[in-house]
Amino acid sequence: MTERLATGPGAIYWHVPNKGALLDAATASVVATAMAVEVTGSPQREIRAIALGLFEAIERHPWLSPQLALRLSRSPWSSVTPRIFESIGQRVSALGVPESTWFTATSALVHYIFGAAGQNAANSQVLGLGVDRAEFLRATANAWEELDPGEFPFLRSIADEARDHDDREQFLTGIDLILTGITGAEPGGSTRP
């Protein structure tokens, strides 16, 4: 960055004390932008929008995933983690689910977002090394189809789906599955007895 700005590292460190503080500030900025969503009155739509914003931010900034994991495990009280939990948690509470489930439901969503988005970013980095995504998925699906049918019936059965899947759609389907579980609704909208 200092090279692009034609300054030395001292110019940045005039404003921040060290690399950790710089990463904290960059993380907070990227996360704040990713979580800026339009209030629609639908907690589900807003959770999906926040999740997709974080997914795309992590995809654009692969360094963000390890930073978020580090913040979550080492300093869950720092500025970024509470903002993510608060933003999603407010919407979880607006779903009308019992208060006793808010922490677990919000944690499930946040951990899924961090994990799935982080894995996608890691995959993108590998694919960024000159590997074609479609070719990689084809090779993976072909390898799964060649596995022993007695030992790997599941992987063989989903090989075609893995070959042609869309990462964002798969991610959002995961969010929808979690939201369905949180709200106690059956797929299709009816509620459980």
Side-chain angles (χ1 to χ4, degrees), residues 55 58-66 114-129 131 136 167:
F55 179 89
I58 290 169
E59 185 175 53
R60 278 190 312 275
H61 307 285
W63 56 266
L64 186 58
S65 180
F114 286 5
Q119 183 62 52
N120 184 69
N123 292 346
S124 293
Q125 282 186 303
V126 169
L127 295 175
L129 300 173
V131 178
F136 176 79
D167 292 330

Side-chain angles (χ1 to χ4, degrees), residues 63-95:
W63 56 266
L64 186 58
S65 180
Q67 277 300 112
L68 290 173
L70 186 65
R71 296 292 161 259
L72 184 61
S73 63
R74 290 195 182 162
S75 58
W77 54 84
S78 71
S79 65
V80 173
T81 305
R83 289 188 193 288
I84 294 170
F85 269 86
E86 182 67 24
S87 185
I88 292 175
Q90 284 181 14
R91 287 157 176 95
V92 165
S93 67
L95 292 171

Side-chain angles (χ1 to χ4, degrees), residues 6 18-21 29 33 49 51 55 62 98 108 117 127 152 163 165 169 183 188:
N18 55 45
K19 181 180 175 182
S29 175
T33 300
F55 179 89
L127 295 175
F152 298 98
R163 180 179 285 117
H165 79 279
E169 286 304 313
T183 59

Side-chain angles (χ1 to χ4, degrees), residues 157-192:
S157 72
I158 63 166
D160 274 344
E161 187 177 346
R163 180 179 285 117
D164 299 319
H165 79 279
D166 178 277
D167 292 330
R168 280 175 181 71
E169 286 304 313
Q170 180 188 27
F171 174 76
L172 288 172
T173 299
I175 294 292
D176 291 342
L177 287 169
I178 295 169
L179 287 171
T180 297
I182 289 169
T183 59
E186 297 292 339
S190 63
T191 56
R192 293 187 188 131

Side-chain angles (χ1 to χ4, degrees), residues 40-60:
T40 64
S42 167
Q44 289 95 335
R45 273 198 297 264
E46 292 171 20
I47 288 169
R48 286 178 105 247
I50 292 166
L52 188 57
L54 288 168
F55 179 89
E56 291 174 345
I58 290 169
E59 185 175 53
R60 278 190 312 275

